């Protein structure tokens, strides 16, 4: 298959021929660069190919110079960030607030903790109860991802279905979705596979 | 060789470590760090996107969208590849998506093998024009991306594999296919290139 063939050895003519572009762009590690150089000394075909690729590289590297509108782009992005921040504004970070008021709360915290402990002990237990933000083991099986713009719900379902995933929530205000994988799944590998789909821009295991 | 070294050193002026520091700051919500990263990457991303989809307006949008994804998800960068590879990988997926939605391309490199005959039909015209841009546009977006990342950005094949999210063998095969197609379309007497042009 085109994408899965074994790599050619670098001591073969074909293997050297494949390395030529990266010899030309100067990125090859020294051992591979030396191998190309040695081979080209006795192989006119590879020497010609090096010369041809240098000419091509020169064209690609300098062709179509255009003025990138950096200032306009930054204005656009700054506006987008400001707009997203406004939407997020009401969000209240309890953790940040607690850290800011840590010292003052120390004393009263001890008393409060005692009250909470008593209240918890008196509460009826329900093993199935779980808050949305609870970080039990289930949270370890979730993946966060973002889609490319314009992906329809059916396209998204189709992509997730291909990997045996179900949409758990999303999109958030920032356009992030959450999906849950089967327990024991290699989330990093699954995230990588998910990103190979053109509909998915980014995917990573939830923290 | 001097040309490419110049391009490569310009491109890699911001080291991976510096990029990583910027990403960490961005993850913490530092807009100034994001502005710096934007200044470094926007032109490169736009150039890359323009090469892949051949549309300046859409390329600008793709570069913007890429950077917004970086802003939103910098905290999820795990350092498995270089920051620049991660960023270009996002741009590649967005550009490919755009190319596909434009309906100018049917999806895989393998499919393009069947289109070789059509390309050959246009080869004569392109040879006469000696137009590298037109020749590149005859390639699939996947092939153009590899050529661009190799010759404009100066990436090693392993880095390109990271960006495209494919095996190294695929990168080499795509580059070989691109070379063969371009060789068929362009005459061998490309004008000699001045090494001082990008110095």
């Amino acid at each position: 298959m085109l994408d899965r063939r074994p790599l050619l050895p670098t001591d073969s003519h074909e293997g050297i021929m494949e390395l030529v572009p990266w010899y030309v762009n100067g990125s090859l590690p020294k051992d591979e660069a030396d191998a190309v150089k040695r081979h080209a000394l006795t192989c006119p075909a590879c020497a010609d190919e090096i010369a041809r690729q240098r000419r091509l590289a020169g064209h690609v590297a300098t062709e179509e110079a255009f003025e990138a509108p950096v200032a306009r782009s930054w204005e656009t992005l700054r506006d987008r960030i400001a707009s997203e921040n406004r939407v997020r504004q009401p969000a209240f970070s309890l953790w940040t607030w607690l850290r800011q008021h840590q010292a003052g709360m120390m004393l009263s915290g001890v008393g409060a903790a005692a009250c909470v402990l008593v209240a918890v002990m008196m509460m009826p237990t329900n093993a199935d109860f779980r808050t949305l933000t609870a970080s039990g083991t289930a949270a370890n099986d979730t993946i966060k991802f973002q889609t490319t713009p314009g992906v329809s719900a059916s396209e998204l379902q189709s992509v997730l279905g291909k990997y045996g995933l179900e949409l758990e929530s999303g999109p958030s205000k920032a356009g992030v979705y959450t999906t849950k994988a089967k327990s024991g799944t290699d989330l990093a590998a699954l995230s990588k596979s998910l990103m190979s789909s053109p509909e998915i821009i980014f995917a990573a295991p939830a923290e | 060789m001097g040309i490419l070294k110049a391009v490569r050193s310009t491109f890699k002026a911001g080291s991976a470590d510096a990029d990583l520091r910027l990403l960490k700051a961005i993850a913490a919500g530092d807009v100034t760090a994001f502005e710096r990263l934007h200044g470094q990457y926007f032109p490169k991303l736009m150039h890359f996107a323009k090469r892949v989809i051949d549309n300046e307006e859409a390329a600008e949008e793709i570069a913007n969208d890429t950077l917004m994804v970086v802003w939103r998800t910098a905290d999820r960068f795990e350092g498995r590849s270089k920051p620049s590879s991660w960023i270009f990988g996002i741009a590649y997926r967005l550009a490919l998506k755009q190319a596909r939605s434009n309906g100018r391309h049917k999806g895989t490199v393998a499919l393009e093998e069947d289109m070789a005959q059509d390309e050959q039909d246009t080869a004569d015209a392109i040879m006469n024009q000696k137009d590298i841009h037109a020749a590149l546009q005859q390639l699939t977006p996947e092939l153009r991306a590899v050529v661009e990342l190799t010759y404009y950005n100066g990436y090693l094949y392993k880095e390109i594999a990271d960006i495209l999210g494919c095996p190294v063998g695929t990168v080499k095969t795509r580059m070989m296919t691109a070379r063969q197609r371009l060789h068929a379309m362009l005459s061998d007497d490309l004008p000699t290139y001045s090494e001082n042009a990008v110095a």
Side-chain angles (χ1 to χ4, degrees):
Chain A
M1 192 177 149
L2 186 69
D3 282 0
R4 298 285 176 197
R5 63 145 180 75
L7 295 178
L8 292 166
T10 53
D11 57 355
S12 70
H13 169 75
E14 289 75 16
I16 293 291
M17 196 62 133
E18 276 191 339
L19 293 178
V20 165
W22 295 286
Y23 175 74
V24 166
N25 82 358
S27 67
L28 276 187
K30 191 176 182 311
D31 55 338
E32 288 184 332
D34 288 347
V36 174
K37 204 171 180 177
R38 268 198 313 274
H39 178 82
L41 288 173
T42 57
C43 177
C46 282
D48 283 352
E49 181 62 8
I50 288 171
R52 184 181 298 118
Q53 291 304 308
R54 278 188 179 154
R55 290 197 296 273
L56 173 62
H59 278 268
V60 173
T62 57
E63 194 223 6
E64 287 184 273
F66 65 91
E67 198 66 37
V70 179
R72 181 172 68 202
S73 164
W74 176 243
E75 269 179 38
T76 305
L77 297 195
R78 202 182 45 199
D79 289 349
R80 280 207 223 171
I81 290 168
S83 162
E84 287 183 5
N85 284 346
R86 275 196 297 276
V87 172
R88 286 175 186 165
Q89 206 66 44
F92 171 71
S93 171
L94 179 61
W95 181 241
T96 305
W97 188 86
L98 282 173
R99 276 190 302 187
Q100 283 168 351
H101 297 81
Q102 194 173 19
M105 291 188 66
M106 280 288 234
L107 200 58
S108 56
V110 175
C115 294
V116 170
L117 181 63
V118 170
V120 168
M121 286 172 69
M122 293 175 73
M123 268 174 66
T125 56
N126 182 350
D128 294 333
F129 178 79
R130 185 169 159 261
T131 67
L132 284 175
T133 52
S135 56
T137 48
N140 295 331
D141 296 328
T142 57
I143 289 174
K144 303 269 187 190
F145 67 92
Q146 278 194 307
T147 66
T148 50
V151 172
S152 68
S154 60
E155 283 174 322
L156 184 55
Q157 289 296 348
S158 165
V159 172
L160 294 179
K162 209 162 70 179
Y163 296 98
L165 294 168
E166 282 180 18
L167 190 63
E168 195 169 72
S169 64
S172 68
K173 293 286 192 314
V176 178
Y177 292 86
T178 304
T179 184
K180 191 174 173 186
K182 284 177 189 158
S183 185
T185 306
D186 181 347
L187 296 179
L190 184 57
S191 298
K192 201 172 174 187
S193 301
L194 205 52
M195 276 199 287
S196 68
S197 297
E199 293 85 357
I200 307 297
I201 298 172
F202 180 80
E207 288 173 351
Chain B
M1 192 78 143
I3 312 161
L4 274 300
K5 278 189 173 167
V7 171
R8 187 174 162 74
S9 62
T10 302
F11 180 75
K12 300 206 166 181
S15 69
D17 286 348
D19 285 349
L20 194 57
R21 280 194 293 275
L22 282 179
L23 278 185
K24 281 181 179 166
I26 291 166
D30 184 342
V31 178
T32 308
F34 183 54
E35 187 175 6
R36 277 188 61 198
L37 188 100
H38 171 273
Q40 282 176 25
Y41 276 89
F42 175 76
K44 297 162 197 161
L45 292 169
M46 187 174 164
H47 191 284
F48 174 64
K50 187 169 180 288
R51 178 76 79 192
V52 175
I53 61 168
D54 195 30
N55 179 313
E56 200 162 315
E57 199 178 324
E60 184 180 342
E61 203 172 311
I62 286 166
N64 282 345
D65 288 347
T66 300
L67 287 161
M68 276 309 289
V69 172
V70 171
W71 167 253
R72 290 168 183 151
T73 60
D75 61 332
R76 299 198 176 275
F77 176 68
E78 292 177 338
R80 292 184 186 186
S81 59
K82 292 199 305 189
S84 65
S85 302
W86 180 65
I87 295 168
F88 270 88
I90 294 167
Y92 175 68
R93 285 188 287 279
L94 282 172
L96 212 56
K97 169 77 181 170
Q98 178 72 44
R100 284 174 179 159
S101 71
N102 285 351
R104 294 173 53 194
H105 156 63
K106 292 184 179 171
T108 67
V109 174
L111 275 176
E112 286 298 315
E113 297 293 340
D114 302 330
M115 295 163 65
Q117 189 55 49
D118 295 339
E119 289 176 7
Q120 197 57 46
D121 291 343
T122 60
D124 290 344
I126 294 169
M127 276 174 69
N128 291 335
Q129 294 166 13
K130 292 186 179 64
D131 186 344
I132 185 73
H133 176 76
L136 283 166
Q137 290 314 311
Q138 293 298 309
L139 303 177
T140 64
E142 287 93 340
L143 298 184
R144 281 201 298 274
V146 176
V147 174
E148 172 76 4
L149 291 168
T150 301
Y151 286 147
Y152 190 81
N153 299 100
Y155 277 119
L156 178 62
Y157 51 81
K158 287 175 186 165
E159 295 167 324
I160 298 174
D162 276 343
I163 291 169
L164 307 188
C166 67
V168 163
T170 303
V171 173
K172 290 182 174 177
T173 302
R174 287 183 186 177
M175 190 62 182
M176 188 61 90
T177 307
R179 287 157 64 187
Q180 287 164 350
R181 301 262 169 90
L182 290 171
H183 184 46
M185 286 187 278
L186 297 163
S187 62
D188 267 353
D189 56 343
L190 286 169
T192 307
Y193 180 74
S194 164
E195 299 236 341
N196 295 322
V198 292

